[in-house]
Each structure stands twice: as structure tokens, then as C-alpha cells.
């Protein structure tokens, strides 16, 4: 009986120590989370409109423009994001073009994710019934009016699931900025693990990432429900 009580007391002590330690390092991890969220937000704000522009150019009737955009998308999607980060940070300075670590991350993530979003937007645009174009033409609408008033609003509902997947992937991919020595969530967690010889920071970092992805998932689910009201 005494052995069981001692074991319970030891477990309770370990739990208290671990809890106190997690509470103590949480502010440091939150600082890293703010950088992660900042990179995520800026990338999203830049890559979505850029991706939409690429999608429209990809569908251009001018074959040369369509070819160039298609080649760009193929290049960005066909090479690792890590390699693109290295190229911007290490190769461009050889040409006299230099960026700081955070700017490098923003540029690399924006260029990469714009290519993925472009393909999502392209599929969504092409998924709109061609009868919509003909109806708009009958009403005397120009191509730009047709796209902004008819096609793009219908496209949004179609692209929400794949857009949700890419957005969630983006929040996780931000951990790649670790190679640029940016103090993001993942890097701070790793530094704490090395300093304290304790794996708890990794578990707390996982909780932070899960919380962020949960919020994004709930947001997209609400958007899908909102647009589902117009199905019938």
C-alpha cells in the first residue's frame, strides 16, 4: 500500500513540475507563434490575389502568356519549397540581390503558394458551367464583367475544400523558416529542447499548431455551410 502511495506522490510531483515548466516556457513559444502567424497571414494576403491573377493569365487566349504562366506553375510546384528558400537567400546575393531572413521567407512562400492557389482557382473557374458565359454574353457583359460578377462568385464555393487543405498546409510549412534562423514556433521549441533536455516544448508546439489548424478548419467549415445554402 505504501509503495502505491509513494508512486502516486511521485507521479503527482512529476506532473506538477512538468505543468510548471510548460507554463513557464509558454510565453516564449507564444512569441514564436506570433512570427509564425505573421508569416502565414502575409503569405496568404499576397499569394491568393497573385494566384488568382496567375489563374486568369493561365486561361488567357494568348498562348505565349499561357505558356509562361504554365511554366512558372510547373517550376514552383515541381521543386521543393526549401530549395526555393535557399535559392532566394543564398543564390540571389551572388547577383547582387539581397533580402533579410523574413523577407526571404515571405517571397519564397508567396511565389510557391501562389502557384498552388493558381491551379485551384483555374480548376474552379473551368468548373463553372459554360452556359453562364453564354448567358452573360447575351446580356451584353464584357469578359471582365463576366468573370467578376458571374464566374468568380460561383468559383468560390467550388474551391473551398482544396483551398482549405492548402491553407492548413501553409500554416505547417511555416516551420521551414527554421533554416533561416527566424525565431518561429518550431525553432524556439527546438532551442528549448536543447537547452533543457526536455521534449515538452515539442508537445506544446504541437498543441499550438493543432489549435491554429483547428481554427482554420472551423472557419472553412462555416464558409462551406454558408455557400451550401445556395445549392438548392
Amino acid at each position: 500500500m505504501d509503495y502505491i502511495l509513494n508512486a502516486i506522490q511521485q507521479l503527482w510531483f512529476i506532473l506538477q513540475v512538468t505543468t510548471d515548466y510548460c507554463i513557464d516556457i509558454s510565453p516564449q513559444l507564444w512569441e514564436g507563434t506570433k512570427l509564425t502567424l505573421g508569416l502565414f497571414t502575409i503569405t496568404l494576403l499576397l499569394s491568393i490575389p497573385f494566384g488568382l491573377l496567375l489563374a486568369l493569365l493561365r486561361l488567357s487566349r494568348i498562348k505565349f502568356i499561357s505558356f509562361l504562366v504554365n511554366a512558372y506553375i510547373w517550376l514552383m510546384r515541381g521543386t521543393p519549397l526549401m530549395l526555393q528558400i535557399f535559392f532566394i537567400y543564398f543564390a540571389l546575393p551572388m547577383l547582387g540581390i539581397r533580402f533579410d531572413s523574413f523577407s526571404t521567407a515571405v517571397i519564397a512562400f508567396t511565389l510557391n503558394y501562389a502557384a498552388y492557389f493558381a491551379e485551384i482557382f483555374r480548376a474552379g473557374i473551368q468548373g463553372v458551367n459554360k452556359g453562364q458565359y453564354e448567358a452573360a454574353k447575351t446580356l451584353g457583359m464584357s469578359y471582365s464583367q463576366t468573370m467578376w460578377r458571374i464566374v468568380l462568385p460561383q468559383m468560390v464555393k467550388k474551391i473551398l475544400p482544396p483551398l482549405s487543405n492548402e491553407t492548413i498546409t501553409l500554416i505547417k510549412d511555416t516551420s521551414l523558416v527554421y533554416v533561416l534562423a527566424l525565431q518561429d514556433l518550431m525553432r524556439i521549441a527546438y532551442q528549448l529542447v536543447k537547452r533543457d533536455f526536455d521534449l515538452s516544448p515539442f508537445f506544446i508546439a504541437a498543441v499550438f499548431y493543432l489549435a491554429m489548424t483547428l481554427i482554420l478548419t472551423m472557419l472553412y467549415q462555416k464558409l462551406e455551410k454558408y455557400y451550401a445554402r445556395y445549392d438548392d
Side-chain angles (χ1 to χ4, degrees):
M1 189 66 180
D2 291 339
Y3 174 77
I4 295 176
L5 289 175
N6 288 333
I8 293 174
Q9 289 177 343
Q10 289 177 359
L11 287 174
W12 178 250
F13 175 76
I14 293 173
L15 180 61
Q16 284 184 314
V17 171
T18 302
T19 301
D20 291 340
Y21 174 71
C22 290
I23 293 174
D24 184 56
I25 64 173
S26 290
Q28 298 176 63
L29 292 171
W30 172 243
E31 288 300 315
T33 302
K34 289 195 290 187
L35 189 143
T36 294
L37 288 173
L39 176 59
F40 166 79
T41 303
I42 295 173
T43 299
L44 207 60
L45 291 175
L46 294 176
S47 60
I48 286 182
F50 185 34
L52 179 58
L53 175 62
L54 289 174
L56 295 174
L57 293 175
R58 173 75 173 80
L59 297 172
S60 172
R61 295 179 180 179
I62 303 175
K63 292 185 178 180
F64 180 68
I65 294 178
S66 179
F67 171 79
L68 287 180
V69 174
N70 190 41
Y72 170 81
I73 293 173
W74 169 75
L75 178 64
M76 290 293 105
R77 296 178 69 199
T79 55
L81 177 55
M82 180 80 76
L83 181 61
Q84 295 164 19
I85 293 173
F86 283 155
F87 179 82
I88 295 172
Y89 195 68
F90 294 111
L92 289 186
M94 297 179 184
L95 303 175
I97 304 173
R98 299 180 182 278
F99 299 102
D100 60 45
S101 296
F102 189 77
S103 297
T104 296
V106 169
I107 293 170
F109 275 78
T110 299
L111 295 178
N112 181 275
Y113 270 85
Y116 284 91
F117 288 144
E119 284 299 276
I120 293 174
F121 293 144
R122 179 189 62 80
I125 292 172
Q126 292 181 323
V128 176
N129 193 300
K130 291 183 178 180
Q132 301 289 333
Y133 294 88
E134 296 173 359
K137 187 176 181 180
T138 301
L139 294 173
M141 290 186 177
S142 64
Y143 176 77
S144 59
Q145 288 176 324
T146 302
M147 292 300 299
W148 289 106
R149 296 183 183 181
I150 306 297
V151 178
L152 294 184
Q154 295 183 58
M155 175 201 73
V156 173
K157 181 175 66 175
K158 296 178 181 293
I159 67 171
L160 281 177
L163 191 64
S164 170
N165 290 336
E166 285 302 321
T167 304
I168 290 173
T169 300
L170 171 59
I171 198 71
K172 293 182 292 184
D173 277 353
T174 55
S175 61
L176 293 176
V177 300
Y178 168 86
V179 300
L180 297 174
L182 286 171
Q183 296 296 310
D184 72 311
L185 174 58
M186 194 64 206
R187 183 174 180 82
I188 290 180
Y190 178 69
Q191 290 174 336
L192 290 171
V193 169
K194 285 184 62 178
R195 185 193 72 184
D196 301 329
F197 298 99
D198 191 322
L199 293 177
S200 298
F202 282 154
F203 290 104
I204 300 176
V207 171
F208 276 64
Y209 280 114
L210 287 171
M212 288 184 283
T213 56
L214 176 62
I215 292 172
L216 288 172
T217 300
M218 294 173 63
L219 174 61
Y220 276 103
Q221 285 177 346
K222 287 185 177 294
L223 286 174
E224 289 180 28
K225 289 180 180 179
Y226 173 81
Y227 281 99
R229 298 186 303 174
Y230 303 100
D231 285 342
D232 299 323

